[in-house]
Short mmCIF file of all heavy atoms in Angstrom, two decimals:
data_model
loop_
_atom_site.label_atom_id
_atom_site.label_comp_id
_atom_site.label_asym_id
_atom_site.label_seq_id
_atom_site.Cartn_x
_atom_site.Cartn_y
_atom_site.Cartn_z
N ILE A 382 104.43 80.79 78.32
CA ILE A 382 104.24 81.15 79.72
C ILE A 382 103.79 80.02 80.63
O ILE A 382 103.90 80.14 81.87
CB ILE A 382 103.15 82.36 79.88
CG1 ILE A 382 101.79 81.83 79.34
CG2 ILE A 382 103.74 83.62 79.27
CD1 ILE A 382 100.72 82.92 79.62
N TYR A 383 103.34 78.93 80.03
CA TYR A 383 102.87 77.79 80.91
C TYR A 383 103.98 76.77 81.08
O TYR A 383 103.82 75.83 81.90
CB TYR A 383 101.63 77.15 80.29
CG TYR A 383 100.51 78.15 80.10
CD1 TYR A 383 99.93 78.31 78.88
CD2 TYR A 383 100.07 78.97 81.16
CE1 TYR A 383 98.90 79.32 78.70
CE2 TYR A 383 99.11 79.87 80.96
CZ TYR A 383 98.49 80.03 79.76
OH TYR A 383 97.48 81.01 79.60
N THR A 384 105.02 76.86 80.37
CA THR A 384 106.22 75.91 80.51
C THR A 384 107.52 76.71 80.86
O THR A 384 108.47 76.06 81.26
CB THR A 384 106.44 75.10 79.22
OG1 THR A 384 106.57 75.97 78.16
CG2 THR A 384 105.22 74.27 78.91
N ASN A 385 107.52 77.99 80.72
CA ASN A 385 108.71 78.80 80.96
C ASN A 385 108.36 79.97 81.94
O ASN A 385 107.20 80.37 81.97
CB ASN A 385 109.28 79.43 79.75
CG ASN A 385 109.63 78.39 78.64
OD1 ASN A 385 108.98 78.33 77.65
ND2 ASN A 385 110.67 77.60 78.83
N ASN A 386 109.33 80.39 82.70
CA ASN A 386 109.21 81.63 83.43
C ASN A 386 109.38 82.79 82.53
O ASN A 386 110.41 82.89 81.90
CB ASN A 386 110.19 81.64 84.63
CG ASN A 386 109.87 82.75 85.61
OD1 ASN A 386 109.57 83.92 85.22
ND2 ASN A 386 110.05 82.47 86.87
N LEU A 387 108.49 83.68 82.46
CA LEU A 387 108.56 84.80 81.49
C LEU A 387 109.84 85.63 81.66
O LEU A 387 110.38 86.12 80.67
CB LEU A 387 107.37 85.71 81.61
CG LEU A 387 107.17 86.81 80.59
CD1 LEU A 387 107.20 86.27 79.19
CD2 LEU A 387 105.91 87.64 80.85
N LYS A 388 110.27 85.78 82.89
CA LYS A 388 111.50 86.52 83.09
C LYS A 388 112.78 85.87 82.42
O LYS A 388 113.69 86.59 82.06
CB LYS A 388 111.77 86.78 84.58
CG LYS A 388 112.13 85.59 85.36
CD LYS A 388 112.37 85.97 86.87
CE LYS A 388 112.86 84.75 87.60
NZ LYS A 388 113.06 85.04 89.07
N ASP A 389 112.64 84.56 82.27
CA ASP A 389 113.77 83.89 81.59
C ASP A 389 113.75 84.07 80.05
O ASP A 389 114.65 83.65 79.42
CB ASP A 389 113.73 82.42 82.01
CG ASP A 389 114.02 82.15 83.47
OD1 ASP A 389 114.63 83.02 84.11
OD2 ASP A 389 113.51 81.12 83.98
N LEU A 390 112.64 84.57 79.56
CA LEU A 390 112.47 84.70 78.12
C LEU A 390 112.82 86.08 77.67
O LEU A 390 112.93 86.31 76.45
CB LEU A 390 111.08 84.30 77.71
CG LEU A 390 110.53 82.96 78.12
CD1 LEU A 390 109.08 82.81 77.69
CD2 LEU A 390 111.39 81.86 77.62
N THR A 391 112.96 87.08 78.55
CA THR A 391 113.16 88.40 78.15
C THR A 391 114.57 88.66 77.53
O THR A 391 115.57 87.97 77.98
CB THR A 391 113.07 89.40 79.36
OG1 THR A 391 114.16 89.05 80.35
CG2 THR A 391 111.73 89.22 80.05
N GLN A 392 114.65 89.42 76.52
CA GLN A 392 115.89 89.61 75.82
C GLN A 392 115.84 90.94 75.14
O GLN A 392 114.83 91.36 74.46
CB GLN A 392 116.19 88.53 74.77
CG GLN A 392 115.07 88.17 73.86
CD GLN A 392 115.40 87.04 72.94
OE1 GLN A 392 115.77 87.26 71.77
NE2 GLN A 392 115.21 85.84 73.38
N LYS A 393 116.88 91.78 75.36
CA LYS A 393 116.93 93.07 74.80
C LYS A 393 117.50 92.90 73.37
O LYS A 393 118.75 92.60 73.18
CB LYS A 393 117.83 94.08 75.62
CG LYS A 393 117.89 95.46 75.08
CD LYS A 393 116.50 96.12 75.15
CE LYS A 393 116.64 97.63 74.75
NZ LYS A 393 115.30 98.29 74.70
N THR A 394 116.74 93.13 72.38
CA THR A 394 117.15 92.96 70.97
C THR A 394 116.81 94.11 70.12
O THR A 394 116.14 95.03 70.62
CB THR A 394 116.65 91.63 70.35
OG1 THR A 394 115.14 91.67 70.34
CG2 THR A 394 117.09 90.42 71.14
N THR A 395 117.05 94.07 68.87
CA THR A 395 116.57 95.07 67.92
C THR A 395 115.57 94.51 66.99
O THR A 395 115.40 93.29 66.86
CB THR A 395 117.75 95.58 67.09
OG1 THR A 395 118.35 94.50 66.36
CG2 THR A 395 118.81 96.30 68.01
N CYS A 396 114.81 95.37 66.37
CA CYS A 396 113.67 94.84 65.54
C CYS A 396 114.20 94.26 64.23
O CYS A 396 115.13 94.73 63.52
CB CYS A 396 112.78 96.05 65.14
SG CYS A 396 111.35 95.60 64.11
N PRO A 397 113.64 93.08 63.88
CA PRO A 397 114.09 92.36 62.61
C PRO A 397 113.29 92.82 61.38
O PRO A 397 113.69 92.41 60.23
CB PRO A 397 113.86 90.98 62.95
CG PRO A 397 112.56 90.97 63.84
CD PRO A 397 112.75 92.19 64.66
N ASN A 398 112.26 93.67 61.57
CA ASN A 398 111.46 94.06 60.42
C ASN A 398 111.97 95.37 59.83
O ASN A 398 112.52 96.17 60.56
CB ASN A 398 110.02 94.25 60.90
CG ASN A 398 109.39 92.90 61.31
OD1 ASN A 398 109.88 91.83 60.95
ND2 ASN A 398 108.37 92.98 62.19
N ASN A 399 111.69 95.61 58.56
CA ASN A 399 112.19 96.78 57.89
C ASN A 399 111.40 98.01 58.41
O ASN A 399 112.02 99.09 58.61
CB ASN A 399 111.96 96.67 56.38
CG ASN A 399 113.02 95.72 55.78
OD1 ASN A 399 114.15 95.58 56.23
ND2 ASN A 399 112.60 94.99 54.76
N THR A 400 110.14 97.82 58.58
CA THR A 400 109.30 99.01 59.02
C THR A 400 108.31 98.55 60.06
O THR A 400 108.02 97.35 60.17
CB THR A 400 108.56 99.64 57.87
OG1 THR A 400 107.64 98.66 57.24
CG2 THR A 400 109.47 100.15 56.82
N CYS A 401 107.71 99.51 60.73
CA CYS A 401 106.64 99.21 61.71
C CYS A 401 105.66 100.35 61.57
O CYS A 401 105.93 101.50 61.73
CB CYS A 401 107.15 99.21 63.15
SG CYS A 401 105.96 98.70 64.38
N GLY A 402 104.37 99.96 61.24
CA GLY A 402 103.36 100.95 60.99
C GLY A 402 102.09 100.90 61.81
O GLY A 402 101.17 101.73 61.57
N CYS A 403 102.06 99.94 62.80
CA CYS A 403 100.85 99.91 63.70
C CYS A 403 101.22 100.32 65.08
O CYS A 403 102.23 99.99 65.58
CB CYS A 403 100.35 98.41 63.65
SG CYS A 403 98.87 98.15 64.63
N TYR A 404 100.24 101.10 65.73
CA TYR A 404 100.54 101.65 67.03
C TYR A 404 100.98 100.61 68.05
O TYR A 404 101.95 100.82 68.79
CB TYR A 404 99.33 102.40 67.60
CG TYR A 404 99.54 102.93 68.97
CD1 TYR A 404 100.15 104.16 69.18
CD2 TYR A 404 99.20 102.22 70.08
CE1 TYR A 404 100.39 104.64 70.40
CE2 TYR A 404 99.46 102.70 71.42
CZ TYR A 404 100.12 103.91 71.47
OH TYR A 404 100.35 104.36 72.80
N ILE A 405 100.30 99.43 68.07
CA ILE A 405 100.68 98.43 69.03
C ILE A 405 102.01 97.78 68.78
O ILE A 405 102.46 96.94 69.57
CB ILE A 405 99.53 97.40 69.24
CG1 ILE A 405 99.25 96.66 67.94
CG2 ILE A 405 98.32 98.03 69.82
CD1 ILE A 405 98.18 95.53 68.11
N GLY A 406 102.66 98.14 67.69
CA GLY A 406 103.95 97.71 67.39
C GLY A 406 104.92 98.81 67.68
O GLY A 406 105.88 98.71 68.47
N TYR A 407 104.79 99.96 66.99
CA TYR A 407 105.79 101.01 67.07
C TYR A 407 105.75 101.71 68.44
O TYR A 407 106.74 102.49 68.73
CB TYR A 407 105.65 101.99 65.89
CG TYR A 407 104.43 102.86 65.91
CD1 TYR A 407 104.15 103.90 66.88
CD2 TYR A 407 103.49 102.76 64.89
CE1 TYR A 407 103.04 104.70 66.81
CE2 TYR A 407 102.36 103.57 64.78
CZ TYR A 407 102.20 104.60 65.77
OH TYR A 407 101.11 105.38 65.75
#
Side-chain angles (χ1 to χ4, degrees):
I382 58 172
Y383 304 127
T384 56
N385 305 108
N386 191 320
L387 187 55
K388 69 179 182 180
D389 296 332
L390 305 179
T391 63
Q392 49 184 263
K393 184 64 174 175
T394 59
T395 59
C396 183
N398 297 336
N399 289 325
T400 62
C401 187
C403 181
Y404 178 85
I405 57 175
Y407 68 68

